[in-house]
Amino acid sequence: MNILIGVLIPFFGTILGAACVFIMKKEINELVNKGLLGFASGVMIAASVWSLIIPSLNMSSNMGKLSFIPAALGISIGIVFMLLLDIIIPHIHSNNDKQEGLKSEKIKKTTMLVLAVVLHNIPEGMAVGVVFAGIMGQDSVITIAGAFALSIGIAIQNFPEGAIISMPLRSEGFSKSKSFLYGALSGVVEPIAALLTILFSSTIEPLMPYLLSFAAGAMIYVVVEELIPESSAGEHSNIGTIGFALGFVIMMILDVSLG
């Protein structure tokens, strides 16, 4: 039951964020958007380090000076995995009309906006899944409190992300209800990815250090390739930097205090 709750917490964060469309104007303020993107980046980087990479290194401590190998390989594979998805999946970002991924004239702009967020949510769901799978293993270095810290941290990050997807849809002429629905549905991939990761990892416990760092690498790719550039584009890039620092510190506090 605890695992199911932990897996669903980030999705609730997305739902609450998407609900902002009912109380906010059609367009999200540019400075607020930069701050939210920066905040999301900080949360994801801190989660990657404290919740994923450090546990991966600790699980590999029996390898001595070579304990970095699982983490290094996992991070690298995670980055390559997200790079391939980025190249394949047609998507656009809310502040840019240029289509990325495979070209497709049949997919609507609004659909590609949602796909951009879905692309972000895949590694986040995997990260939640792999830490909850980790607590089920013998002699695990991951605690239930630490797993919930990651889940809560990603939920906090998903709140602005839900708003960032629903508000542009509203600006595109969608009704508030439909904008909320699309924004909320963009987060469905997280519990699905988490549950699939749990089912997959339960049969290959020796690969847990690789899976943890794989999720970290995928999240780092999203932050460096998309979130940080979007938050620093144009004027007032310092807003994104402040948001990053705030998100990083909050996630670090959650993980250390609860872990």
Side-chain angles (χ1 to χ4, degrees):
M1 187 63 181
N2 283 337
I3 291 177
L4 181 60
I5 293 172
V7 165
L8 290 176
I9 285 175
F11 182 44
F12 292 140
T14 303
I15 291 174
L16 290 174
C20 288
V21 75
F22 293 113
I23 59 175
M24 297 175 67
K25 296 179 180 180
K26 286 188 176 183
E27 293 184 2
I28 191 168
N29 181 273
E30 182 182 357
L31 296 183
V32 173
N33 188 42
K34 287 179 177 292
L36 294 178
L37 287 168
F39 181 86
S41 301
V43 168
M44 290 176 72
I45 291 296
S48 296
V49 175
W50 272 275
S51 298
L52 300 171
I53 295 175
I54 291 177
S56 173
L57 292 170
N58 291 337
M59 286 182 177
S60 308
S61 59
N62 62 320
M63 298 176 65
K65 292 183 179 180
L66 298 179
S67 60
F68 66 88
I69 291 178
L73 283 176
I75 291 170
S76 301
I77 295 171
I79 290 174
V80 171
F81 173 75
M82 287 306 300
L83 175 62
L84 291 175
L85 289 185
D86 206 13
I87 293 173
I88 294 171
I89 298 177
H91 62 283
I92 58 176
H93 301 286
S94 59
N95 65 338
N96 191 344
D97 289 333
K98 184 179 179 181
Q99 180 182 335
E100 298 182 18
L102 295 177
K103 301 299 180 183
S104 176
E105 297 180 357
K106 296 182 179 180
I107 302 178
K108 296 180 180 179
K109 178 182 177 181
T110 50
T111 302
M112 287 192 285
L113 280 170
V114 174
L115 285 174
V117 176
V118 169
L119 193 61
H120 296 174
N121 288 341
I122 291 173
E124 294 167 17
M126 293 174 60
V128 172
V130 76
V131 293
F132 276 98
I135 65 176
M136 296 186 296
Q138 295 181 349
D139 302 322
S140 174
V141 299
I142 303 173
T143 64
I144 186 68
F148 269 99
L150 174 64
S151 190
I152 293 169
I154 292 180
I156 294 172
Q157 184 267 152
N158 281 352
F159 180 84
E161 198 167 72
I164 287 171
I165 189 64
S166 64
M167 297 302 292
L169 291 177
R170 177 64 175 148
S171 299
E172 290 289 323
F174 279 63
S175 66
K176 289 184 178 182
S177 297
K178 201 167 186 178
S179 298
F180 165 74
L181 180 62
Y182 274 100
L185 288 178
S186 70
V188 170
V189 68
E190 285 196 12
I192 293 174
L195 291 172
L196 288 175
T197 302
I198 290 172
L199 291 174
F200 176 67
S201 60
S202 63
T203 60
I204 50 171
E205 188 176 328
L207 294 181
M208 189 59 65
Y210 297 90
L211 292 174
L212 286 166
S213 52
F214 173 89
M219 287 173 61
I220 289 170
Y221 176 89
V222 169
V223 171
V224 176
E225 202 276 334
E226 296 182 4
L227 297 186
I228 289 180
E230 289 180 27
S231 69
S232 60
E235 299 180 352
H236 306 294
S237 59
N238 56 340
I239 300 297
T241 303
I242 294 171
F244 179 94
L246 183 61
F248 187 93
V249 170
I250 289 176
M251 185 61 214
M252 179 185 67
I253 291 172
L254 279 174
D255 194 274
V256 174
S257 61
L258 296 180

